[in-house]
Coordinates of all heavy atoms in Angstrom, one line a residue:
M1 N -13.3 -25.1 20.7 CA -14.0 -25.7 19.5 C -15.3 -24.9 19.3 O -16.1 -24.8 20.2 CB -14.2 -27.2 19.7 CG -14.8 -27.9 18.6 SD -14.8 -29.6 18.9 CE -16.0 -30.2 17.8
A2 N -15.5 -24.5 18.1 CA -16.8 -23.8 17.8 C -17.9 -24.8 17.7 O -17.8 -25.9 17.2 CB -16.6 -23.0 16.5
T3 N -19.1 -24.3 18.3 CA -20.3 -25.1 18.2 C -21.1 -24.7 17.0 O -21.1 -23.6 16.6 CB -21.1 -25.0 19.4 OG1 -21.5 -23.6 19.6 CG2 -20.4 -25.5 20.7
S4 N -21.8 -25.7 16.4 CA -22.6 -25.3 15.2 C -23.8 -24.6 15.7 O -24.3 -24.8 16.8 CB -22.9 -26.6 14.5 OG -23.9 -27.4 15.2
S5 N -24.4 -23.9 14.8 CA -25.6 -23.1 15.2 C -26.9 -24.0 15.3 O -27.9 -23.7 15.8 CB -25.9 -22.0 14.1 OG -26.1 -22.6 12.9
K6 N -26.7 -25.2 14.7 CA -27.8 -26.2 14.8 C -27.6 -27.2 15.9 O -28.1 -28.3 15.8 CB -28.0 -26.9 13.4 CG -28.4 -25.9 12.3 CD -28.8 -26.6 11.1 CE -29.2 -25.6 10.1 NZ -30.0 -26.1 9.0
A7 N -26.9 -26.8 17.0 CA -26.7 -27.7 18.1 C -28.0 -28.0 18.8 O -28.9 -27.2 18.8 CB -25.7 -27.1 19.1
K8 N -28.2 -29.2 19.3 CA -29.4 -29.6 20.0 C -29.6 -28.8 21.2 O -28.6 -28.7 22.1 CB -29.3 -31.1 20.3 CG -30.6 -31.6 20.8 CD -30.6 -33.1 21.0 CE -31.9 -33.6 21.5 NZ -31.9 -35.0 21.8
K9 N -30.7 -28.2 21.4 CA -31.0 -27.4 22.6 C -31.6 -28.3 23.7 O -32.4 -29.2 23.4 CB -31.9 -26.3 22.3 CG -31.3 -25.3 21.3 CD -32.3 -24.1 21.1 CE -31.6 -23.1 20.2 NZ -32.5 -22.0 19.9
K10 N -31.3 -28.0 24.9 CA -31.8 -28.8 26.0 C -33.3 -28.3 26.3 O -33.6 -27.1 26.2 CB -31.0 -28.6 27.3 CG -29.7 -29.4 27.3 CD -29.1 -29.4 28.6 CE -27.9 -30.3 28.7 NZ -27.4 -30.4 30.0
T11 N -34.1 -29.2 26.6 CA -35.5 -28.9 27.0 C -35.5 -28.4 28.4 O -35.0 -29.0 29.3 CB -36.4 -30.1 26.8 OG1 -36.3 -30.6 25.5 CG2 -37.9 -29.7 27.1
V12 N -36.2 -27.3 28.6 CA -36.3 -26.7 30.0 C -37.4 -27.4 30.7 O -38.5 -27.6 30.1 CB -36.5 -25.2 29.9 CG1 -36.6 -24.6 31.3 CG2 -35.4 -24.5 29.1
R13 N -37.2 -27.7 32.0 CA -38.2 -28.4 32.7 C -38.8 -27.5 33.9 O -39.9 -27.6 34.3 CB -37.7 -29.7 33.3 CG -37.4 -30.7 32.2 CD -37.1 -32.0 32.8 NE -36.9 -33.0 31.8 CZ -35.7 -33.3 31.2 NH1 -34.6 -32.6 31.5 NH2 -35.6 -34.2 30.2
L14 N -37.9 -26.7 34.4 CA -38.4 -25.8 35.6 C -39.3 -24.7 35.1 O -39.2 -24.2 34.0 CB -37.2 -25.2 36.3 CG -36.1 -26.2 36.9 CD1 -35.0 -25.4 37.4 CD2 -36.8 -27.0 38.0
A15 N -40.2 -24.4 36.0 CA -41.2 -23.4 35.7 C -40.5 -22.0 35.4 O -40.9 -21.3 34.4 CB -42.2 -23.2 36.8
S16 N -39.5 -21.7 36.1 CA -38.8 -20.4 35.9 C -38.1 -20.5 34.6 O -38.0 -19.4 33.9 CB -37.8 -20.2 37.0 OG -36.8 -21.2 37.1
G17 N -37.6 -21.6 34.2 CA -36.9 -21.8 32.9 C -37.9 -21.6 31.8 O -37.6 -21.0 30.7
L18 N -39.1 -22.2 31.9 CA -40.1 -22.1 30.9 C -40.5 -20.6 30.7 O -40.7 -20.2 29.6 CB -41.3 -23.0 31.2 CG -41.1 -24.5 31.2 CD1 -42.3 -25.2 31.8 CD2 -40.8 -24.9 29.8
K19 N -40.6 -19.9 31.8 CA -41.0 -18.5 31.8 C -39.9 -17.7 31.1 O -40.2 -16.8 30.2 CB -41.3 -18.0 33.2 CG -41.7 -16.5 33.2 CD -41.9 -16.0 34.6 CE -42.3 -14.6 34.6 NZ -42.6 -14.1 35.9
R20 N -38.7 -18.0 31.4 CA -37.5 -17.3 30.8 C -37.5 -17.5 29.3 O -37.3 -16.6 28.5 CB -36.2 -17.9 31.4 CG -35.0 -17.1 31.0 CD -35.0 -15.8 31.8 NE -34.9 -14.7 30.8 CZ -35.0 -13.5 31.1 NH1 -35.4 -13.1 32.3 NH2 -34.9 -12.5 30.2
V21 N -37.8 -18.7 28.8 CA -37.9 -19.0 27.4 C -39.0 -18.2 26.7 O -38.8 -17.6 25.6 CB -38.1 -20.5 27.1 CG1 -38.5 -20.8 25.7 CG2 -36.9 -21.3 27.6
R22 N -40.1 -18.1 27.4 CA -41.2 -17.3 26.8 C -40.8 -15.8 26.7 O -41.0 -15.2 25.7 CB -42.5 -17.4 27.7 CG -43.2 -18.7 27.6 CD -44.6 -18.6 28.2 NE -44.7 -18.1 29.5 CZ -44.6 -18.9 30.6 NH1 -44.4 -20.2 30.5 NH2 -44.6 -18.3 31.8
Q23 N -40.2 -15.3 27.8 CA -39.8 -13.9 27.8 C -38.7 -13.6 26.8 O -38.8 -12.6 26.1 CB -39.2 -13.6 29.2 CG -40.3 -13.5 30.3 CD -39.7 -13.2 31.6 OE1 -38.6 -13.6 31.9 NE2 -40.4 -12.5 32.5
D24 N -37.8 -14.6 26.6 CA -36.7 -14.4 25.7 C -37.2 -14.3 24.2 O -36.8 -13.5 23.4 CB -35.7 -15.5 25.8 CG -34.8 -15.3 27.0 OD1 -34.8 -14.2 27.6 OD2 -34.1 -16.3 27.4
S25 N -38.2 -15.2 23.9 CA -38.7 -15.2 22.6 C -39.5 -13.9 22.3 O -39.4 -13.4 21.1 CB -39.6 -16.4 22.3 OG -40.7 -16.4 23.1
K26 N -40.2 -13.4 23.2 CA -40.9 -12.1 23.0 C -40.0 -11.0 22.9 O -40.1 -10.1 22.0 CB -41.9 -11.8 24.2 CG -43.1 -12.6 24.3 CD -44.0 -12.2 25.5 CE -45.2 -13.0 25.6 NZ -46.0 -12.7 26.8
L27 N -38.9 -11.0 23.7 CA -37.9 -9.9 23.6 C -37.2 -10.0 22.3 O -36.9 -8.9 21.7 CB -37.0 -10.0 24.8 CG -36.0 -8.9 25.0 CD1 -36.7 -7.6 25.2 CD2 -35.1 -9.2 26.2
N28 N -36.9 -11.2 21.9 CA -36.1 -11.4 20.6 C -37.0 -10.8 19.5 O -36.5 -10.1 18.6 CB -35.8 -12.8 20.4 CG -35.0 -13.1 19.2 OD1 -35.2 -12.6 18.2 ND2 -33.9 -13.9 19.4
A29 N -38.3 -11.1 19.5 CA -39.2 -10.6 18.4 C -39.2 -9.1 18.4 O -39.2 -8.5 17.3 CB -40.5 -11.2 18.6
A30 N -39.3 -8.5 19.6 CA -39.4 -7.1 19.7 C -38.1 -6.4 19.2 O -38.1 -5.4 18.5 CB -39.7 -6.6 21.1
N31 N -37.0 -7.0 19.6 CA -35.7 -6.4 19.2 C -35.5 -6.6 17.7 O -34.9 -5.6 17.1 CB -34.5 -7.1 20.0 CG -34.5 -6.7 21.4 OD1 -35.1 -5.7 21.8 ND2 -33.7 -7.4 22.2
T32 N -35.9 -7.7 17.1 CA -35.8 -7.9 15.7 C -36.6 -6.9 14.9 O -36.1 -6.3 13.9 CB -36.2 -9.3 15.3 OG1 -35.4 -10.3 16.1 CG2 -36.1 -9.6 13.9
A33 N -37.8 -6.6 15.4 CA -38.7 -5.6 14.8 C -38.1 -4.2 14.8 O -38.1 -3.5 13.8 CB -40.0 -5.6 15.4
L34 N -37.5 -3.9 16.0 CA -36.9 -2.5 16.1 C -35.6 -2.4 15.2 O -35.4 -1.4 14.6 CB -36.5 -2.3 17.6 CG -37.7 -1.9 18.4 CD1 -37.3 -1.9 19.9 CD2 -38.3 -0.5 18.0
R35 N -34.8 -3.5 15.2 CA -33.6 -3.5 14.3 C -34.0 -3.3 12.9 O -33.4 -2.6 12.1 CB -32.9 -4.8 14.5 CG -31.4 -4.7 14.4 CD -30.7 -6.0 14.7 NE -30.8 -6.4 16.1 CZ -31.4 -7.5 16.6 NH1 -31.9 -8.3 15.7 NH2 -31.5 -7.7 17.8
S36 N -35.1 -4.0 12.5 CA -35.6 -3.9 11.1 C -36.1 -2.4 10.8 O -35.8 -1.9 9.7 CB -36.7 -4.9 10.9 OG -37.3 -4.7 9.6
K37 N -36.8 -1.9 11.8 CA -37.3 -0.5 11.6 C -36.1 0.5 11.5 O -36.2 1.4 10.7 CB -38.2 -0.1 12.8 CG -38.9 1.2 12.6 CD -39.9 1.4 13.8 CE -40.7 2.6 13.5 NZ -41.7 2.9 14.6
F38 N -35.1 0.3 12.3 CA -33.9 1.1 12.2 C -33.3 1.1 10.8 O -33.0 2.1 10.3 CB -32.9 0.5 13.3 CG -31.5 1.1 13.2 CD1 -31.3 2.3 14.0 CD2 -30.5 0.5 12.5 CE1 -30.0 2.8 14.0 CE2 -29.2 1.1 12.5 CZ -29.0 2.2 13.3
R39 N -33.1 -0.1 10.3 CA -32.6 -0.2 8.9 C -33.5 0.4 7.9 O -33.0 1.1 6.9 CB -32.3 -1.7 8.6 CG -31.3 -2.3 9.4 CD -31.0 -3.7 8.9 NE -30.1 -4.5 9.9 CZ -30.5 -5.5 10.5 NH1 -31.7 -6.1 10.3 NH2 -29.7 -6.1 11.4
T40 N -34.8 0.3 8.0 CA -35.7 0.8 7.1 C -35.7 2.3 7.0 O -35.7 2.9 5.9 CB -37.1 0.3 7.4 OG1 -37.1 -1.1 7.4 CG2 -38.1 0.8 6.4
V41 N -35.7 2.9 8.2 CA -35.7 4.4 8.2 C -34.4 5.0 7.6 O -34.5 6.0 6.9 CB -36.0 5.0 9.6 CG1 -37.4 4.7 10.1 CG2 -35.0 4.6 10.6
I42 N -33.3 4.3 7.8 CA -32.1 4.8 7.3 C -32.1 4.7 5.7 O -31.7 5.6 5.0 CB -30.9 4.0 7.9 CG1 -30.7 4.4 9.3 CG2 -29.6 4.2 7.0 CD1 -29.6 3.6 10.0
K43 N -32.6 3.5 5.2 CA -32.7 3.3 3.8 C -33.6 4.3 3.2 O -33.4 4.8 2.1 CB -33.2 1.9 3.5 CG -32.1 0.8 3.7 CD -32.7 -0.5 3.4 CE -31.7 -1.6 3.8 NZ -32.2 -2.9 3.7
N44 N -34.7 4.7 3.9 CA -35.7 5.7 3.3 C -35.0 7.0 3.2 O -35.2 7.7 2.1 CB -36.9 5.8 4.2 CG -37.8 4.5 4.1 OD1 -37.7 3.8 3.2 ND2 -38.6 4.4 5.1
V45 N -34.2 7.4 4.1 CA -33.6 8.7 4.1 C -32.5 8.7 2.9 O -32.5 9.6 2.1 CB -32.9 9.1 5.4 CG1 -32.0 10.4 5.2 CG2 -33.9 9.2 6.5
Q46 N -31.8 7.6 2.8 CA -30.8 7.5 1.8 C -31.4 7.5 0.4 O -30.9 8.2 -0.6 CB -30.0 6.2 1.9 CG -29.0 6.3 3.1 CD -28.3 5.0 3.4 OE1 -28.8 4.0 3.0 NE2 -27.2 5.1 4.2
K47 N -32.6 6.9 0.2 CA -33.3 6.9 -1.1 C -33.7 8.3 -1.4 O -33.6 8.8 -2.6 CB -34.5 6.0 -1.1 CG -34.1 4.5 -1.2 CD -35.4 3.7 -1.1 CE -35.0 2.2 -1.0 NZ -36.2 1.3 -0.8
A48 N -34.2 9.1 -0.4 CA -34.7 10.4 -0.7 C -33.5 11.3 -1.0 O -33.6 12.2 -1.9 CB -35.4 11.0 0.6
V49 N -32.4 11.1 -0.4 CA -31.2 11.9 -0.8 C -30.7 11.6 -2.2 O -30.4 12.5 -3.0 CB -30.0 11.5 0.2 CG1 -28.7 12.1 -0.3 CG2 -30.4 12.1 1.6
L50 N -30.8 10.3 -2.6 CA -30.4 9.9 -4.0 C -31.3 10.5 -5.0 O -30.8 10.9 -6.1 CB -30.4 8.4 -4.1 CG -29.2 7.7 -3.5 CD1 -29.3 6.2 -3.6 CD2 -27.9 8.1 -4.1
T51 N -32.6 10.6 -4.7 CA -33.5 11.2 -5.7 C -33.4 12.7 -5.7 O -33.9 13.4 -6.6 CB -35.0 10.8 -5.4 OG1 -35.3 11.3 -4.0 CG2 -35.2 9.3 -5.5
G52 N -32.8 13.3 -4.7 CA -32.5 14.7 -4.6 C -33.7 15.5 -4.1 O -33.8 16.8 -4.2
D53 N -34.6 14.9 -3.4 CA -35.8 15.6 -2.8 C -35.4 16.1 -1.4 O -35.3 15.4 -0.4 CB -36.9 14.6 -2.7 CG -38.2 15.3 -2.4 OD1 -38.2 16.5 -2.1 OD2 -39.3 14.6 -2.4
K54 N -35.1 17.4 -1.4 CA -34.6 18.0 -0.1 C -35.7 18.0 1.0 O -35.4 17.6 2.1 CB -34.3 19.5 -0.4 CG -33.1 19.7 -1.3 CD -32.9 21.2 -1.6 CE -32.0 21.4 -2.8 NZ -31.9 22.8 -3.1
V55 N -36.9 18.3 0.7 CA -38.0 18.4 1.7 C -38.3 17.0 2.3 O -38.4 16.9 3.5 CB -39.2 19.0 1.1 CG1 -40.4 19.1 2.1 CG2 -38.9 20.4 0.5
K56 N -38.4 16.1 1.4 CA -38.7 14.7 1.8 C -37.6 14.1 2.6 O -37.8 13.5 3.7 CB -39.0 13.8 0.6 CG -39.5 12.5 1.0 CD -39.9 11.7 -0.2 CE -40.4 10.3 0.2 NZ -40.7 9.5 -1.0
A57 N -36.4 14.4 2.2 CA -35.2 13.9 2.9 C -35.1 14.5 4.3 O -34.9 13.8 5.3 CB -33.9 14.2 2.2
A58 N -35.4 15.8 4.5 CA -35.4 16.4 5.8 C -36.5 15.9 6.7 O -36.3 15.6 7.9 CB -35.6 17.9 5.6
E59 N -37.7 15.6 6.1 CA -38.8 15.1 6.9 C -38.4 13.7 7.4 O -38.6 13.3 8.6 CB -40.1 15.0 6.0 CG -40.9 16.2 6.0 CD -42.1 16.0 5.2 OE1 -42.7 14.9 5.1 OE2 -42.5 17.0 4.5
L60 N -38.0 12.8 6.4 CA -37.6 11.5 6.8 C -36.5 11.4 7.8 O -36.4 10.5 8.6 CB -37.2 10.7 5.5 CG -38.4 10.3 4.6 CD1 -37.9 9.7 3.3 CD2 -39.4 9.4 5.3
F61 N -35.5 12.4 7.7 CA -34.4 12.4 8.6 C -34.9 12.7 10.1 O -34.4 12.1 11.0 CB -33.4 13.5 8.2 CG -32.3 13.6 9.2 CD1 -31.4 12.5 9.4 CD2 -32.1 14.7 10.0 CE1 -30.3 12.6 10.3 CE2 -31.1 14.8 10.9 CZ -30.2 13.8 11.1
K62 N -35.9 13.6 10.2 CA -36.5 13.9 11.5 C -37.1 12.6 12.1 O -36.9 12.3 13.3 CB -37.5 15.0 11.5 CG -36.9 16.3 11.5 CD -38.0 17.4 11.7 CE -37.3 18.7 11.9 NZ -38.3 19.8 12.2
T63 N -37.8 11.8 11.4 CA -38.5 10.6 11.9 C -37.4 9.6 12.2 O -37.4 8.9 13.1 CB -39.5 10.1 10.9 OG1 -38.9 9.8 9.7 CG2 -40.7 11.0 10.8
A64 N -36.4 9.5 11.3 CA -35.3 8.6 11.5 C -34.5 8.8 12.7 O -34.1 7.9 13.5 CB -34.3 8.6 10.3
E65 N -34.3 10.1 13.0 CA -33.6 10.5 14.2 C -34.2 10.0 15.5 O -33.6 9.5 16.4 CB -33.5 12.1 14.3 CG -32.2 12.6 14.6 CD -32.1 14.1 14.6 OE1 -33.1 14.8 14.2 OE2 -31.1 14.7 14.9
A66 N -35.6 10.1 15.5 CA -36.3 9.6 16.7 C -36.2 8.1 16.8 O -36.0 7.6 17.9 CB -37.8 10.0 16.6
V67 N -36.3 7.4 15.7 CA -36.2 5.9 15.7 C -34.8 5.5 16.2 O -34.7 4.6 17.0 CB -36.6 5.3 14.4 CG1 -36.3 3.9 14.3 CG2 -38.0 5.6 14.0
I68 N -33.8 6.2 15.6 CA -32.4 5.8 16.0 C -32.2 6.0 17.4 O -31.5 5.2 18.1 CB -31.4 6.6 15.1 CG1 -31.5 6.2 13.6 CG2 -30.0 6.5 15.6 CD1 -30.8 7.0 12.6
D69 N -32.7 7.2 18.0 CA -32.5 7.4 19.4 C -33.2 6.4 20.3 O -32.7 6.0 21.3 CB -33.0 8.9 19.7 CG -32.0 9.9 19.3 OD1 -30.8 9.6 19.2 OD2 -32.5 11.1 19.1
S70 N -34.4 6.0 19.9 CA -35.1 5.1 20.7 C -34.5 3.7 20.7 O -34.4 3.0 21.7 CB -36.6 5.0 20.2 OG -36.7 4.3 19.0
V71 N -33.9 3.3 19.6 CA -33.2 2.0 19.5 C -32.0 2.1 20.4 O -31.7 1.1 21.1 CB -32.9 1.7 18.0 CG1 -31.9 0.6 17.9 CG2 -34.1 1.4 17.3
A72 N -31.3 3.2 20.4 CA -30.1 3.3 21.2 C -30.4 3.3 22.7 O -29.8 2.7 23.5 CB -29.3 4.6 20.8
D73 N -31.5 4.0 23.0 CA -32.0 4.1 24.4 C -32.4 2.7 25.0 O -32.2 2.4 26.2 CB -33.2 5.0 24.6 CG -32.8 6.5 24.4 OD1 -31.6 6.8 24.5 OD2 -33.7 7.3 24.2
K74 N -32.9 1.9 24.1 CA -33.3 0.5 24.5 C -32.1 -0.4 24.6 O -32.3 -1.6 25.0 CB -34.4 0.0 23.6 CG -35.7 0.8 23.8 CD -36.8 0.4 22.9 CE -38.0 1.2 23.2 NZ -38.8 1.5 22.0
G75 N -31.0 0.0 24.1 CA -29.8 -0.8 24.2 C -29.6 -1.8 23.1 O -28.8 -2.7 23.2
I76 N -30.4 -1.7 22.1 CA -30.3 -2.6 21.0 C -29.0 -2.4 20.2 O -28.4 -3.3 19.7 CB -31.6 -2.6 20.1 CG1 -32.8 -3.0 20.9 CG2 -31.4 -3.4 18.8 CD1 -34.1 -2.8 20.3
F77 N -28.7 -1.1 20.0 CA -27.5 -0.7 19.4 C -26.8 0.3 20.4 O -27.4 0.9 21.2 CB -27.7 0.1 18.1 CG -28.1 -0.8 16.9 CD1 -29.3 -0.5 16.2 CD2 -27.5 -2.0 16.6 CE1 -29.7 -1.3 15.2 CE2 -27.9 -2.8 15.6 CZ -29.0 -2.4 14.8
H78 N -25.5 0.3 20.2 CA -24.7 1.2 21.1 C -24.9 2.6 20.7 O -25.2 3.0 19.6 CB -23.2 0.9 20.9 CG -22.3 1.5 22.0 ND1 -21.8 2.7 21.9 CD2 -21.9 0.9 23.2 CE1 -21.1 3.0 23.0 NE2 -21.1 1.9 23.8
K79 N -24.9 3.5 21.7 CA -25.2 4.9 21.5 C -24.2 5.6 20.5 O -24.6 6.4 19.7 CB -25.1 5.7 22.8 CG -23.8 5.7 23.5 CD -23.8 6.5 24.8 CE -22.4 6.4 25.4 NZ -22.1 7.5 26.3
N80 N -23.0 5.1 20.4 CA -22.0 5.6 19.5 C -22.4 5.2 18.0 O -22.2 6.0 17.1 CB -20.6 5.2 19.8 CG -20.1 5.8 21.0 OD1 -20.7 6.7 21.6 ND2 -18.9 5.4 21.5
K81 N -22.9 4.0 17.9 CA -23.4 3.6 16.6 C -24.5 4.4 16.1 O -24.6 4.8 15.0 CB -23.8 2.1 16.6 CG -24.3 1.6 15.3 CD -24.6 0.1 15.2 CE -25.2 -0.2 13.9 NZ -25.1 -1.7 13.6
A82 N -25.4 4.7 17.0 CA -26.6 5.5 16.7 C -26.1 6.9 16.3 O -26.6 7.5 15.3 CB -27.6 5.6 17.9
A83 N -25.2 7.5 17.1 CA -24.7 8.8 16.8 C -24.0 8.9 15.4 O -24.1 9.8 14.7 CB -23.7 9.3 17.9
R84 N -23.3 7.8 15.1 CA -22.6 7.8 13.8 C -23.6 7.8 12.7 O -23.4 8.5 11.7 CB -21.7 6.5 13.8 CG -20.9 6.4 12.5 CD -20.0 5.1 12.5 NE -20.7 3.9 12.6 CZ -20.7 3.0 13.6 NH1 -20.0 3.2 14.6 NH2 -21.4 1.9 13.5
H85 N -24.6 7.0 12.8 CA -25.6 6.9 11.7 C -26.3 8.2 11.6 O -26.5 8.7 10.4 CB -26.6 5.8 12.0 CG -26.2 4.4 11.6 ND1 -26.2 4.0 10.3 CD2 -25.6 3.4 12.4 CE1 -25.7 2.7 10.3 NE2 -25.4 2.4 11.5
K86 N -26.7 8.9 12.7 CA -27.3 10.2 12.6 C -26.4 11.2 12.0 O -26.9 12.0 11.2 CB -27.8 10.6 14.0 CG -29.0 9.9 14.6 CD -29.6 10.5 15.8 CE -28.7 11.3 16.7 NZ -29.3 11.6 18.0
S87 N -25.2 11.2 12.4 CA -24.2 12.2 11.8 C -24.1 12.0 10.3 O -24.1 13.0 9.6 CB -22.9 12.0 12.5 OG -21.9 12.8 11.9
R88 N -23.9 10.8 9.9 CA -23.7 10.5 8.4 C -25.0 10.9 7.6 O -24.9 11.5 6.5 CB -23.3 9.1 8.2 CG -21.9 8.8 8.7 CD -21.5 7.4 8.4 NE -20.2 7.2 9.0 CZ -19.6 6.0 9.1 NH1 -20.3 4.9 8.7 NH2 -18.4 5.8 9.5
L89 N -26.2 10.6 8.2 CA -27.4 10.9 7.5 C -27.6 12.4 7.4 O -28.0 13.0 6.4 CB -28.6 10.3 8.2 CG -28.8 8.8 7.9 CD1 -30.0 8.3 8.8 CD2 -29.0 8.5 6.5
S90 N -27.3 13.1 8.5 CA -27.4 14.5 8.6 C -26.5 15.2 7.6 O -26.9 16.2 6.9 CB -27.0 15.0 10.0 OG -27.0 16.4 10.1
A91 N -25.3 14.7 7.5 CA -24.3 15.3 6.5 C -24.9 15.1 5.1 O -24.7 16.0 4.3 CB -23.0 14.6 6.6
K92 N -25.5 14.0 4.8 CA -26.0 13.8 3.4 C -27.2 14.7 3.2 O -27.3 15.3 2.1 CB -26.5 12.3 3.3 CG -25.3 11.4 3.1 CD -25.8 9.9 3.0 CE -24.6 9.0 2.9 NZ -25.0 7.6 2.8
V93 N -28.0 14.9 4.2 CA -29.2 15.8 4.0 C -28.7 17.2 3.9 O -29.3 18.0 3.0 CB -30.2 15.6 5.2 CG1 -31.3 16.7 5.1 CG2 -30.8 14.2 5.2
K94 N -27.7 17.6 4.7 CA -27.2 19.0 4.6 C -26.5 19.3 3.2 O -26.6 20.3 2.7 CB -26.2 19.3 5.7 CG -26.9 19.5 7.0 CD -25.9 19.8 8.1 CE -26.6 20.0 9.4 NZ -25.7 20.1 10.5
A95 N -25.9 18.2 2.7 CA -25.2 18.4 1.4 C -26.2 18.6 0.3 O -25.9 19.3 -0.7 CB -24.4 17.1 1.1
L96 N -27.4 18.1 0.4 CA -28.5 18.3 -0.5 C -28.9 19.8 -0.6 O -29.1 20.4 -1.6 CB -29.7 17.5 -0.2 CG -29.9 16.2 -0.8 CD1 -31.2 15.6 -0.4 CD2 -29.9 16.3 -2.3
A97 N -29.0 20.4 0.6 CA -29.4 21.8 0.8 C -28.4 22.7 0.2 O -28.8 23.8 -0.3 CB -29.7 22.1 2.2
A98 N -27.2 22.4 0.2 CA -26.1 23.3 -0.3 C -26.0 23.2 -1.8 O -26.5 22.5 -2.5 CB -24.8 22.9 0.4

């Protein structure tokens, strides 16, 4: 039976549990920010490609590549997903140059 997302959460009482909750919330916030940055850099490259700006697209792709690699290294996304995104963006940027 599936549980609803608004299920009542138990209150943690142990010190180690309270610490775990604090750590989890910080980690969740950091991961959410990185995931958002990942999506943003991809959108920026795609917009540059659509406008047809070769130089800007190439610059944005270099920065996007670094962000995508860092997100994959931290384990937020699988390395194959990161490679797929980089490959597709690279193909779009190269298509502009041709």
Side-chain angles (χ1 to χ4, degrees):
M1 184 171 162
T3 58
S4 72
S5 60
K6 296 191 179 202
K8 187 176 179 183
K9 293 183 181 179
K10 285 191 171 186
T11 306
V12 181
R13 291 188 178 90
L14 298 175
S16 60
L18 292 170
K19 181 178 178 181
R20 189 74 236 168
V21 168
R22 286 194 308 270
Q23 289 176 329
D24 286 345
S25 64
K26 283 182 184 177
L27 187 61
N28 186 311
N31 287 347
T32 303
L34 283 171
R35 212 174 295 117
S36 175
K37 188 174 185 180
F38 173 86
R39 292 186 191 117
T40 302
V41 294
I42 288 174
K43 285 178 188 174
N44 289 341
V45 174
Q46 289 173 340
K47 284 179 188 174
V49 168
L50 284 176
T51 59
D53 191 354
K54 298 175 192 176
V55 178
K56 188 175 181 184
E59 273 180 37
L60 288 172
F61 177 67
K62 276 192 174 183
T63 58
E65 224 175 358
V67 170
I68 292 169
D69 284 335
S70 72
V71 168
D73 289 342
K74 290 176 179 148
I76 295 170
F77 289 128
H78 195 273
K79 61 179 181 161
N80 290 355
K81 177 176 179 160
R84 181 177 67 243
H85 279 281
K86 286 191 333 189
S87 173
R88 288 179 182 172
L89 285 176
S90 174
K92 287 178 182 180
V93 172
K94 283 181 183 174
L96 265 183

